[in-house]
Amino acid sequence: MIEVRDLNKTFTLRGEKIHAVDGVSCTVSAGEVVVVIGPSGSGKSTFLRCLNRLEDFESGQVIVDGHNLSHEKTNLNRVRAEVGMVFQSFNLFPHKSVLQNLTLAQVKVRKRSRRDAHEKALMLLKKVGISEKAGAYPDQLSGGQQQRVAIARALAMDPKVMLFDEPTSALDPEMVGEVLDVMRTLAQEGMTMVIVSHEMGFAREVADRMLMMDAGRILEEGPPNQFFSNPEHERTQAFLAQIL
Amino acid sequence: MDSMGSLKIPTMGWHVLTALILIGLVWGLAAVTNRINYQWTWYRLPEYFVFQSEEVRFAPGDGKVESLERLGDQVRLILVLDNGARESLTISHASLELDEGERVRAGDPLGAESIMRQGLLVKGMVTTLHLSLLSGLLAMAIGLLGGLARISKNPTLYALSTGYIEVVRGTPLLVQLFIFYFFIGTVLELSRYTAGLLALAIFSGAYVAEIIRAGIQSIHRGQMEAARSLGMNYFQAMAYIILPQAVKRVLPALAGQFISLIKDSSLVSVIAITDLAKAGREIITNTFATFEIWFTVAALYFVLTFSLSLLTKTLERRMTAGD
């Protein structure tokens, strides 16, 4: 579903050149759930944002569902419609109601009729457990509710892949669970997911594969059982020891 | 009850003080003008708002006065022409020089019709309003495009828009008006009205562009990212997500800019467009009522700007209510 070959991304921060993603290669097959962990500044968010080219990269190939994102001719908007993204800070549209947040792109990008978009939106709001908030505006919702709306908004496009960029990091602790529940259901339904997260319990339970990133490189990868109980690298051991 | 009473007295006291200061100002102004022996002629003003115009009507063709019907000091005159057409006119009784049944020939005077006409001040105000409205709309369009160009990654768009804004903001509007009227107006054969309109729009557009740019940049970049991640293209994201939020945020600044535009439009009087300011000058040459006219012109500008100010306040309130 996703194939990444020798991906490189640098940027300059206060005059200093930073190699945020340094020659990363990996594949994610359909239906797989991959959780990416790593210390802050390890490039895991940048890596994730390269997967729908929200972040431009210098070199390498990213191929999503057969479309090569590095090709000039690839219609990025069309690929992005197939790749749902959930952000740390939700990024709901504050001037639109919850329902409009879910229907806008369906109508404008997917060219669905208002009626179909509306139906789909209500179905998804029910699925994430907040159908009663359809008419509310984002700032009337709690963080957990906002993030569930954001997930529903991404799902409304019927994406083939879902990317999650630290979806629970901005939430109050008691709201983390409700968002993880929605993600767990999604994983069980066979959605292809790439998740950047610090929720280790959730990762252990849901992930098919763990990726550990450090200094822009993939340091270690493997199934969660082996990854958590018997990590190869010292850096991984140290990192897990810190957060577990 | 007691506490309310004790609160009310000091507030009333302040209002009395405000009133006293205002009365004092007016009194002082009156005293000063008395010293220079100025003849106030306020009574000349109303005719420059609306006036009765006696306009002589002539017979459109040969015919006969069929009937005369007295309505107060007016007379309804019905004329039947030889070709069978009927004409109905209302003219003042005093000016009537015909009897019932009398024959008239084409071009004969029938009498004077009394018509309410707009005075120069009203005409000038309408011109100012029209000019401000059109140039305001144009400025908004220029500002939207200019604001988008200012944040564009395209070097040409960026350079052109930045240059435009710097040049326009760095030169006086008066000079721009002369350039538009004498140079561009001559080269492109523009009417003085079009030249004035364009100069105002291009001047104001530069300020609107900077306001719009600031508005767009004040919206969190996560909004653009979320919109793009849903597959919207740049223009869809701008139109549906960024601009609605940005414009709402800069509404007070935009209102200020359009209020400035109404006031700045008074400069077009230098290229002989009869706006409110020019109307004032013309009336003064007839009446020598310099003080009265400029006070009145100021008051009329204030009516325009204050209405706009109230309108945007309502708009702001309604937009916040939508959240």
Side-chain angles (χ1 to χ4, degrees), chain A residues 49 52 54 77 80-81 83 85 87 91-96 104-105 108-109 111 137 153-154 157, chain B residues 220-234 236 240-242 244-245 248 322-323:
Chain A
R49 291 156 58 85
N52 63 355
L54 221 46
N77 298 321
R80 284 188 185 133
V83 181
M85 184 145 193
F87 301 85
N91 295 345
L92 292 178
F93 307 135
H95 62 304
K96 304 262 178 210
L104 183 69
K108 302 295 175 192
V109 179
K111 310 287 178 204
Y137 281 82
R153 177 177 69 179
M157 300 297 285
Chain B
H220 192 268
R221 62 184 218 132
Q223 291 290 310
M224 181 52 105
E225 289 179 351
R228 299 306 300 273
S229 80
L230 288 167
M232 285 187 220
N233 63 38
Y234 178 80
Q236 286 174 324
Y240 302 124
I241 305 303
I242 307 297
Q245 297 183 59
K248 179 177 155 189
D323 280 348

Side-chain angles (χ1 to χ4, degrees), chain B residues 219-294:
Chain B
I219 303 299
H220 192 268
R221 62 184 218 132
Q223 291 290 310
M224 181 52 105
E225 289 179 351
R228 299 306 300 273
S229 80
L230 288 167
M232 285 187 220
N233 63 38
Y234 178 80
F235 293 102
Q236 286 174 324
M238 269 294 164
Y240 302 124
I241 305 303
I242 307 297
L243 282 176
Q245 297 183 59
V247 168
K248 179 177 155 189
R249 195 168 286 180
V250 298
L251 201 62
L254 280 178
Q257 185 52 44
F258 289 125
I259 286 170
S260 285
L261 175 61
I262 293 177
K263 295 183 292 174
D264 291 341
S265 77
S266 63
L267 279 174
V268 299
S269 58
V270 299
I271 58 170
I273 295 173
T274 307
D275 71 331
L276 187 48
K278 177 93 183 330
R281 286 221 307 258
E282 284 175 18
I283 297 167
I284 288 167
T285 55
N286 287 335
T287 61
F288 301 105
T290 319
F291 295 2
E292 297 88 328
I293 293 297
W294 286 127

Side-chain angles (χ1 to χ4, degrees), chain A residues 6 18 31 35 42 48 55 63 65 77-78 84 91 96 137 146 151 168 176 180 183 185 187 199 209 212 223:
Chain A
D6 198 24
I18 293 167
V35 174
S42 60
L48 189 77
E55 206 79 63
I63 300 159
D65 194 29
N77 298 321
R78 199 169 292 167
N91 295 345
K96 304 262 178 210
Y137 281 82
Q146 288 194 48
I151 295 174
T168 56
V176 170
L180 292 183
M183 291 170 64
T185 312
E199 299 293 333
R209 187 148 51 103
M212 165 78 186

Side-chain angles (χ1 to χ4, degrees), chain A:
Chain A
M1 183 60 76
I2 303 179
E3 197 180 339
V4 181
R5 282 190 223 126
D6 198 24
L7 183 67
N8 279 289
K9 161 82 188 172
T10 58
F11 53 83
T12 321
L13 191 70
R14 285 182 222 108
E16 215 178 317
K17 199 173 171 189
I18 293 167
H19 218 136
V21 179
D22 190 357
V24 167
S25 298
C26 74
T27 54
V28 179
S29 29
E32 199 178 14
V33 176
V34 175
V35 174
V36 186
I37 63 166
S40 82
S42 60
K44 53 195 191 304
S45 279
T46 311
F47 165 67
L48 189 77
R49 291 156 58 85
C50 286
L51 297 184
N52 63 355
R53 225 176 121 181
L54 221 46
E55 206 79 63
D56 261 321
F57 43 86
E58 270 85 58
S59 68
Q61 317 257 318
V62 175
I63 300 159
V64 177
D65 194 29
H67 302 281
N68 193 328
L69 294 191
S70 27
H71 278 183
E72 197 90 344
K73 278 185 191 156
T74 304
N75 184 340
L76 278 180
N77 298 321
R78 199 169 292 167
V79 180
R80 284 188 185 133
E82 308 291 338
V83 181
M85 184 145 193
V86 175
F87 301 85
Q88 182 179 346
S89 50
F90 328 135
N91 295 345
L92 292 178
F93 307 135
H95 62 304
K96 304 262 178 210
S97 71
V98 165
L99 196 66
Q100 290 168 331
N101 263 276
L102 267 68
T103 53
L104 183 69
Q106 291 192 66
V107 173
K108 302 295 175 192
V109 179
R110 281 274 191 241
K111 310 287 178 204
R112 287 182 189 144
S113 71
R114 253 163 222 295
R115 203 167 158 185
D116 290 352
H118 199 94
E119 248 170 55
K120 176 119 206 156
L122 289 178
M123 190 269 280
L124 283 166
L125 285 177
K126 198 169 169 192
K127 181 173 176 173
V128 299
I130 31 179
S131 22
E132 76 280 4
K133 297 286 186 189
Y137 281 82
D139 62 2
Q140 297 168 323
L141 305 182
S142 72
Q145 290 172 327
Q146 288 194 48
Q147 194 60 300
R148 283 186 283 152
V149 172
I151 295 174
R153 177 177 69 179
L155 289 175
M157 300 297 285
D158 290 320
K160 296 189 170 123
V161 185
M162 285 284 284
L163 308 176
F164 293 84
D165 188 5
E166 304 201 28
T168 56
S169 302
L171 294 177
D172 289 339
E174 78 266 25
M175 291 169 183
V176 170
E178 61 192 66
V179 172
L180 292 183
D181 283 343
V182 171
M183 291 170 64
R184 191 175 295 119
T185 312
L186 217 53
Q188 281 158 3
E189 287 170 359
M191 175 62 80
T192 311
M193 295 160 81
V194 182
I195 306 165
V196 172
S197 179
H198 295 297
E199 299 293 333
M200 292 305 149
F202 173 76
R204 196 194 288 258
E205 177 193 346
V206 171
D208 295 311
R209 187 148 51 103
M210 299 293 299
L211 280 182
M212 165 78 186
M213 280 190 78
D214 188 37
R217 296 202 181 93
I218 295 181
L219 203 62
E220 182 167 353
E221 61 180 302
N225 274 340
Q226 179 202 325
F227 186 87
F228 283 109
S229 54
N230 198 7
E232 270 174 42
H233 275 264
E234 248 173 65
R235 186 78 187 84
T236 317
Q237 287 165 10
F239 180 70
L240 288 175
Q242 289 245 306
I243 58 173
L244 284 178

